[in-house]
Amino acid sequence: MKRLYLTFALFFLIIAAGNGQTRNTRLCRPGFTYEISKSTNWGNGLPVVQSVYPYSSAESAGMRAGDIVETIDGIPTANVQPEEINQLLNRAGSNELTLGIRNLANPLREIIIRKECKQKEAITEEQLAVAYSMYSPESTYERQFTCPFVYTVQPGANYADFKTYAFTMPDPDNEALENALNECIAKELNNKGLKETSDNPDMLVQTFYFFDKNPAFQGKNKIQVKKEPVYRYNTLTRKMEVFPFLPVSSSASEAEYILQLGFRFIDRRNPDKNKLQVIWECEASEKLGEPYKLQEYAKIFVPLLCMNYPYVKTARNPKYVVNYETYNYTGIRYDMERLEQIIAVDRNSPAQAAGIRSRDLIESINGHSLDHTAAEFAEAYKQFIVATMPYRDPATQFTDVNGFRYAMLWDKFQYPKIADALQKNKYLPAFSYLYYFAPYVNPEGVNACRFKIKRGKNTTETVIRPVIRNSVTILVK
């Protein structure tokens, strides 16, 4: 039960982050994360982008995971120490960065990005949505899952040298299946900037696959131990879903069926055709309790398989972290120490359009007071989590990214009770407006929020129609 309070603790950490620090100073971030590559195949010794923040200037400029950062404001990253990279990205007095980036599609191109800056004591609606995610675990969550994938690379092969590809001839007996599998692979390679051609391609793509009953299957265990369902991210629906796979740690003898899907990239630039070399290979090996179509598997999981090309981060059983966020955005930034105080309003935001200004005070949101301390908000939120646990659906149980094994979504039959709970003032539910689009928060369904604003001696009620922000970020750990 202690794990239940991790979200509550997260809220306290966010609020406490600004306490005791000098006010009116600014924090900036470049809009992406990176790590220094140790791969001899891609960006060795250089910063390789790991993730790009949604709605950031970096995302708008077209930066993507896997990009190599070659220069920062004209300075080659190969000429500086790894610890100096962060200093170059966060130089004081400059809100813009000119980056030279390289990927499979472009040898080198320059982009200009604006750093995301905020006052140190400000907390954004995105941060609050994460802190209050137990209001709507269907909308905002961080989940982790492992896939039984294995990768093999040829050391020293420079993947930047391979720009074009072609598939090997399909097996005549399974031509339709292979073409369907290859179509999924081609889509991902094309998205990375590679081009399919039959005219002297740089590499050949060879697909291999298998699905059948497992000869090592020893029959179903008479003493059945209940196992937690296997959740994976479905790249088609963009949601976490249950799949009929056995956990990666399961014994092969437990699986009634075996599914394998893989593909390899073969260097064909060497004129000596007897020395064709495999430069990269991936293989998925799934253990199943029931049949599953290879075509469906490819549509969903080839995108995840391809996330490890050209930059292979994990060679065996990679862990994926899914950060899914859907929340109401008005553009208001709150003061961590006085949550009723507006510290800033984003330009061109719904709040700005409604006439909200920095230094305004919010007396209430949808009738719920903000005149409380951060500690009071956190305590009331904890009480809400405990009181509403009976309204969760046990059939949706999963282990969250923090290791809490009893995380659950809301029970659809309990939506009215959840909505009633979020109207009780003892839970201080003002920030439930972040999920006002959800039927268990606002059964009426009109996503318009009432803000009671105090400016000087005047108090007015303003209706803000938020923009629903939605993003999914997937990382390979």
Side-chain angles (χ1 to χ4, degrees):
M1 197 67 176
K2 291 180 181 178
R3 295 279 188 176
L4 179 62
Y5 301 116
L6 283 170
T7 304
F8 161 63
L10 172 63
F11 180 83
F12 251 136
L13 287 173
I14 291 174
I15 297 300
N19 292 340
Q21 297 177 342
T22 304
R23 293 180 64 84
N24 299 319
T25 57
R26 285 158 61 85
L27 292 174
C28 296
R29 65 181 188 181
F32 65 94
T33 63
Y34 69 91
E35 71 177 28
I36 304 301
S37 170
K38 296 180 182 179
S39 168
T40 59
N41 306 112
W42 188 253
N44 191 19
L46 302 179
V48 174
V49 175
Q50 297 302 291
S51 66
V52 180
Y53 293 124
Y55 301 99
S56 66
S57 175
E59 182 184 61
S60 299
M63 178 178 277
R64 300 171 66 178
D67 286 354
I68 301 170
V69 181
E70 293 275 359
T71 62
I72 302 173
D73 290 332
I75 300 173
T77 53
N79 296 347
V80 299
Q81 295 298 314
E83 58 270 18
E84 296 177 301
I85 299 295
N86 196 50
Q87 297 174 15
L88 291 175
L89 291 172
N90 294 284
R91 283 191 289 189
S94 175
N95 288 341
E96 277 192 354
L97 291 168
T98 301
L99 304 178
I101 60 173
R102 173 164 61 89
N103 50 40
L104 292 173
N106 300 287
L108 184 67
R109 71 183 182 100
E110 280 196 347
I111 62 171
I112 298 175
I113 64 174
R114 283 191 63 83
K115 290 189 280 189
E116 295 182 307
C117 298
K118 71 179 185 71
Q119 288 174 264
K120 187 175 288 186
E121 61 271 20
I123 185 168
T124 66
E125 288 172 308
E126 179 190 11
Q127 291 173 304
L128 284 167
V130 172
Y132 279 109
S133 61
M134 291 294 277
Y135 281 161
S136 185
E138 291 83 350
S139 304
T140 297
Y141 57 78
E142 189 175 45
R143 303 272 291 270
Q144 179 175 284
F145 62 94
T146 303
C147 287
F149 301 161
V150 176
Y151 296 87
T152 306
V153 302
Q154 176 61 39
N158 186 358
Y159 295 154
D161 294 337
F162 299 87
K163 303 293 187 183
T164 59
Y165 70 95
F167 288 97
T168 57
M169 292 296 293
D171 180 352
D173 295 332
N174 294 294
E175 188 168 353
L177 172 60
E178 284 199 27
N179 286 339
L181 301 179
N182 290 344
E183 183 179 341
C184 298
I185 299 167
K187 180 180 178 181
E188 296 305 311
L189 297 184
N190 294 343
N191 286 340
K192 291 178 181 290
L194 299 178
K195 294 183 179 180
E196 183 176 4
T197 179
S198 58
D199 183 17
N200 197 30
D202 295 331
M203 65 183 186
L204 294 175
V205 180
Q206 184 182 53
T207 308
F208 53 97
Y209 48 90
F210 174 83
F211 178 79
D212 208 341
K213 286 195 170 186
N214 179 16
F217 180 54
Q218 296 181 356
K220 294 183 179 180
N221 193 343
K222 293 181 179 179
I223 304 175
Q224 199 65 259
V225 178
K226 185 179 179 181
K227 293 188 177 181
E228 189 174 326
V230 172
Y231 281 89
R232 301 264 185 90
Y233 181 73
N234 187 326
T235 59
L236 297 180
T237 63
R238 300 177 79 236
K239 293 180 179 179
M240 291 291 292
E241 296 178 2
V242 176
F243 286 88
F245 308 141
L246 273 61
V248 173
S249 59
S250 298
S251 167
S253 62
E254 298 178 65
E256 192 170 354
Y257 296 90
I258 296 292
L259 181 151
Q260 293 176 322
L261 173 64
F263 43 99
R264 56 179 66 99
F265 301 158
I266 304 169
D267 183 358
R268 69 173 305 278
R269 299 171 308 155
N270 192 324
D272 186 350
K273 303 304 179 187
N274 294 321
K275 294 183 179 179
L276 294 180
Q277 206 169 48
V278 176
I279 60 168
W280 184 90
E281 179 177 305
C282 66
E283 181 179 2
S285 297
E286 299 282 6
K287 301 182 281 285
L288 300 97
E290 60 185 71
Y292 200 87
K293 291 184 178 180
L294 272 164
Q295 298 97 314
E296 291 302 311
Y297 187 87
K299 290 177 184 177
I300 295 170
F301 292 101
V302 162
L304 296 179
L305 280 161
C306 287
M307 284 184 67
N308 254 0
Y309 184 83
Y311 185 60
V312 178
K313 189 172 175 69
T314 304
R316 179 178 292 273
N317 297 341
K319 290 183 178 179
Y320 296 83
V321 176
V322 179
N323 193 309
Y324 187 97
E325 293 180 357
T326 303
Y327 63 94
N328 269 339
Y329 167 79
T330 69
I332 294 174
R333 300 188 180 207
Y334 298 84
D335 190 318
M336 289 182 180
E337 298 176 21
R338 294 184 61 204
L339 286 167
E340 74 273 20
Q341 177 78 60
I342 296 177
I343 206 166
V345 178
D346 293 346
R347 291 181 181 179
N348 303 316
S349 65
Q352 186 187 58
I356 306 299
R357 302 176 189 171
S358 61
R359 295 189 296 276
D360 283 349
L361 286 175
I362 304 176
E363 292 192 346
S364 66
I365 304 176
N366 293 328
H368 302 298
S369 173
L370 266 75
D371 187 18
H372 302 279
T373 66
E376 289 171 338
F377 272 110
E379 177 61 26
Y381 181 46
K382 181 183 74 171
Q383 292 176 10
F384 170 82
I385 293 172
V386 174
T388 58
M389 281 301 287
Y391 305 153
R392 312 262 172 191
D393 183 359
T396 65
Q397 182 179 325
F398 62 92
T399 300
D400 71 10
V401 74
N402 297 306
F404 176 50
R405 294 185 59 192
Y406 302 102
M408 291 175 279
L409 306 182
W410 291 121
D411 185 336
K412 293 180 180 180
F413 295 104
Q414 302 293 339
Y415 281 3
K417 292 182 179 179
I418 301 161
D420 287 344
L422 284 169
Q423 288 300 314
K424 294 180 178 179
N425 288 326
K426 66 178 181 179
Y427 296 136
L428 308 185
F431 291 107
S432 63
Y433 86 89
L434 295 162
Y435 300 110
Y436 210 55
F437 52 83
Y440 38 82
V441 177
N442 174 27
E444 294 180 3
V446 179
N447 192 22
C449 302
R450 294 176 289 108
F451 283 70
K452 191 174 182 180
I453 302 295
K454 185 176 182 180
R455 182 179 300 159
K457 295 181 179 180
N458 299 320
T459 301
T460 59
E461 185 165 281
T462 301
V463 174
I464 302 179
R465 291 186 175 272
V467 173
I468 299 175
R469 282 194 164 182
N470 175 259
S471 65
V472 182
T473 305
I474 307 176
L475 298 175
V476 183
K477 291 189 71 174

